[in-house]
Amino acid sequence: MDPAERRELILSAARRAFASRPYEEVSLAEVAQEAQASEALVHKYFAGKAGLYAQVLRHAADELAERTRRADDALPEGSSARDRVQTSVLTYLDFIAERSPGWVTYQVLAGHDPGDEAARVRREAREAAVTALAQVVGGRRGHRDDFALWGYLGFLDDACLRWVHAGCPDDQRHSLVDAALGCLEGALGDWRK
């Protein structure tokens, strides 16, 4: 098998494992076995479990960004900033529900070690999310907007953690979305667009 194909098989196995179970429950041996590779080969391609996890996170961040972009593009021309943010939250909830055990671990583990590759991937993904959100709501006008946008993401992730711990119930989605929209609107003071 060609090295690129082998690497992709390992990544696919790791994505499934990390999406279905917490980080600490996933072993390189099981990922290697599912990918029909040796553990040594996994180490060669990804420099261990932390490197593999960082690549899985990078892929997930890219996938979420692409899903959000497609959902936004599917909205009618001239949709309000509020409608666009609502669509992004609904997309995020779908994304989380598909991989809730792994997403919870991502929230709990990420950022503990600023030198850690997974923490760097998370930081870059959050910076990109703030930039994209700022574009939706009409840009940034200073420190207040930065605090509002970053605070909104923190609020959203904490609210989503509560939703995931409740089992991702459909009957709570509307309340979560309304709370998130209210949080952002309250923090910004207006939608500007």
Side-chain angles (χ1 to χ4, degrees):
M1 183 176 289
D2 144 313
E5 290 174 317
R6 176 66 66 196
R7 188 176 191 284
E8 187 50 44
L9 278 175
I10 293 168
L11 265 175
S12 293
R15 282 193 292 268
R16 286 189 298 277
F18 287 122
S20 64
R21 290 187 322 284
Y23 176 86
E24 60 277 351
E25 292 179 14
V26 174
S27 73
L28 284 185
E30 74 176 88
V31 170
Q33 182 179 0
E34 179 161 336
Q36 299 175 346
S38 69
E39 200 171 334
L41 194 56
V42 175
H43 276 279
K44 175 184 174 186
Y45 287 132
F46 299 101
K49 184 175 172 179
L52 181 59
Y53 184 61
Q55 287 300 313
V56 167
L57 291 182
R58 184 169 285 112
H59 179 271
D62 291 346
E63 180 186 345
L64 177 58
E66 177 59 21
R67 281 188 188 190
T68 303
R69 186 196 58 73
R70 282 194 320 261
D72 189 66
D73 287 350
L75 288 170
E77 186 73 29
S79 291
S80 70
R82 185 180 179 87
D83 287 344
R84 293 177 68 197
V85 173
Q86 179 179 17
T87 297
S88 74
V89 174
L90 289 168
T91 301
Y92 191 41
L93 293 179
D94 291 342
F95 182 83
I96 291 168
E98 293 169 8
R99 50 182 54 82
S100 59
W103 182 84
V104 168
T105 299
Y106 167 74
Q107 293 300 321
V108 172
L109 289 181
H112 284 270
D113 176 3
D116 181 63
E117 188 178 356
R120 185 176 53 75
V121 169
R122 181 176 197 258
R123 203 170 37 254
E124 290 169 359
R126 290 179 73 79
E127 287 169 2
V130 165
T131 299
L133 182 59
Q135 290 173 349
V136 168
V137 299
R140 296 175 174 161
R141 294 185 291 194
H143 296 297
R144 182 179 185 275
D145 286 359
D146 281 339
F147 289 129
L149 297 172
W150 283 96
Y152 163 77
L153 285 184
F155 173 87
L156 180 60
D157 283 342
D158 280 350
C160 288
L161 273 172
R162 184 172 179 85
W163 180 67
V164 168
H165 287 304
C168 303
D170 281 337
D171 66 336
Q172 292 181 10
R173 286 171 66 96
H174 182 71
S175 296
L176 195 160
V177 171
D178 280 350
L181 293 172
C183 172
L184 183 58
E185 187 171 29
L188 287 173
D190 62 29
W191 289 93
R192 281 179 265 155
K193 261 177 143 177

